[in-house]
Amino acid sequence: MLITWRIEKQRGNLRPELTYSVILEGHEKGLALPYVRVESTIPEPPASWQAHCHPHEHERAGAPPAGHYSLSTPSHAMRGTGQTLRLPWREDNAYPEVEESFRLLRAAFEQELAAAHASEPMDVTGKLVVSGELKRDMAAAIVADRLLRLAKQPALS
């Protein structure tokens, strides 16, 4: 699995945007891994639909976050997944919870990966035939039936 992310913010009162993608490797897809989702520690700013946050508004006025974002990996049927999240405006532009949250996602994914890998492959083939005892018991009747069928056939000239 490869997780990549980028935080980009333009100058001014604009909120930064976190863009991330998760791509599974071939052997991970081959294990039919499920979709993994974690609740991150990345706060969703109030009015996150707004690209900006003016002074004395929302998080800059001390308003609590609207919640926390969820992060996810793709399932085995998907090529990859990605998302763009708007982060709260911060004067210092520090977002240590982003890497921490991706570490949580990786840990949850690794648990699923280990569980899937622990499920050993198998290839079992079976075959059953009629028992010898039953064949012996039926042999006389089968031979008699065949002889009677032969006796009923018209003679060849």
Side-chain angles (χ1 to χ4, degrees), residues 46 82 104 108 116-117 132:
L104 291 172
H117 184 73

Side-chain angles (χ1 to χ4, degrees), residues 5-48:
W5 70 90
R6 179 178 185 191
I7 300 173
E8 186 176 21
K9 180 192 177 298
Q10 296 178 6
R11 183 176 302 278
N13 295 316
L14 294 164
R15 288 176 167 145
E17 289 187 347
L18 165 66
T19 303
Y20 79 93
S21 70
V22 181
I23 299 171
L24 298 182
E25 295 182 30
H27 69 279
E28 294 164 340
K29 286 183 181 186
L31 293 171
L33 292 167
Y35 173 78
V36 175
R37 186 181 186 127
V38 297
E39 190 71 21
S40 78
T41 58
I42 302 169
E44 178 181 355
S48 62

